[in-house]
Amino acid sequence: MDRDSESPPARRSGTVRVINASMPRTGTASMAAALAILLDAPSYHCGTDGVGGDDAPIWAAAARKGELPDWSQLLDARGYASIGDAPACFYWADLAATYPDAIVLLVERGEPSNRSSWTASFDAALTAVAPFFRTRWRSRHARDAYDICTRMVTPHCPGKVAGALLLPDSYSRETLATWYERHYAAVRAAVPPERLAVIDLGGGWEPLCAALGLPVPDVAYPHKHVGAADAKAIFDGADAAMRPPVRLMVAAVVAAAAAAVGVWRATQRLAT
């Protein structure tokens, strides 16, 4: 889903100052909240604003066309100063080219020799949200999220192709670890050192501010979404919002059917 090589993204300063290219389940929601404080501007978190939020239709429309969202409309027009989480983290190169002055951030979770903490967390998150995707027959939001994930996330996983859903029994922890290592290696190899900031998960303000060259704020470091249950809650909330329309639709269908039966019976009586 990269942009046409003959039509590279327009280079502009824009409003984006930090691109969080880190994989999901590396504290991306907490990082978004932290960056909003540091940059004094909104931070776009794809999990809560995009796939699990109001912008799901924007991402889904782009995914179905095999395109990326219009960053200018999605980010600049709304004043966002940073972006992170999936699927944006997989399009860090396009974002970095679009915003040449932005810092590219990587948050490491675990040591290269042991990514079990990250793979376990990622696996738990996928397991938690899998039931949500099975509701897509009745939920537009579930259909949007499904198309985003299968077309903009899955193709980046080793051995997977567009259209497939990452279900708990469709991959191994080793595959997830390989995905993580390849993603981080690609970012490190392509981004110049002066634009790349690398920190470890859980360090708080000091390493982040040092990496970005910003002063440490006099507030506690934010902590959001501490487990897979939070990922599930995002989608459950969106699903719950769809239930009243679904109930109304079912009620309307039942009423229409009852009316049709009434008309048929009246017609039969007249005929006799």
Side-chain angles (χ1 to χ4, degrees):
M1 190 164 298
D2 296 328
R3 297 188 193 275
D4 190 330
S5 60
E6 296 182 359
S7 302
R11 292 171 60 89
R12 56 177 180 273
S13 57
T15 60
V16 174
R17 296 167 59 189
V18 177
I19 299 162
N20 186 359
S22 311
M23 290 288 281
R25 313 310 300 168
T26 57
T28 56
S30 298
M31 179 58 68
L35 291 173
I37 294 170
L38 289 178
L39 304 177
D40 192 26
S43 181
Y44 196 96
H45 181 257
C46 288
T48 49
D49 296 315
V51 183
D54 293 340
D55 285 349
I58 296 174
W59 286 92
R64 289 165 188 145
K65 295 177 182 177
E67 300 174 352
L68 294 176
D70 182 331
W71 302 129
S72 178
Q73 292 298 316
L74 186 72
L75 304 173
D76 299 339
R78 298 146 115 187
Y80 284 104
S82 63
I83 183 171
D85 201 37
C89 63
F90 300 116
Y91 301 101
W92 58 268
D94 192 272
L95 284 161
T98 302
Y99 301 101
D101 298 325
I103 294 293
V104 178
L105 175 67
L106 282 179
V107 178
E108 292 272 19
R109 179 168 181 167
E111 297 297 325
S113 59
N114 183 10
R115 298 295 184 195
S116 59
S117 172
W118 180 80
T119 57
S121 178
F122 195 81
D123 178 62
L126 291 177
T127 300
V129 302
F132 171 73
F133 292 118
R134 288 195 282 269
T135 69
R136 62 186 185 275
W137 65 271
R138 63 176 174 82
S139 166
R140 187 186 71 179
H141 188 267
R143 289 193 296 275
D144 286 345
Y146 180 88
D147 284 344
I148 296 167
C149 291
T150 58
R151 298 173 190 235
M152 302 183 86
V153 177
T154 299
H156 299 276
C157 181
K160 300 298 180 181
V161 296
L165 185 63
L166 285 176
L167 296 172
D169 59 351
S170 69
Y171 57 82
S172 66
R173 294 285 179 90
E174 291 74 19
T175 297
L176 294 183
T178 298
W179 187 9
Y180 180 106
E181 298 299 345
R182 287 181 182 177
H183 178 79
Y184 279 64
V187 177
R188 289 176 184 272
V191 179
E194 62 273 15
R195 287 192 68 186
L196 184 64
V198 183
I199 62 173
D200 292 325
L201 178 65
W205 285 123
E206 284 73 15
L208 174 62
C209 292
L212 299 180
L214 296 171
V216 176
D218 189 23
V219 295
Y221 187 89
H223 292 283
K224 308 283 187 181
H225 297 176
V226 295
D230 297 282
K232 182 176 183 297
I234 292 173
F235 292 105
D236 282 351
D239 186 39
M242 290 297 299
R243 287 172 190 160
V246 170
R247 286 197 295 268
L248 290 174
M249 181 178 69
V250 171
V253 170
V254 171
V261 170
V263 171
W264 178 80
R265 285 178 176 173
T267 302
Q268 292 298 105
R269 285 197 295 271
L270 289 173
T272 57

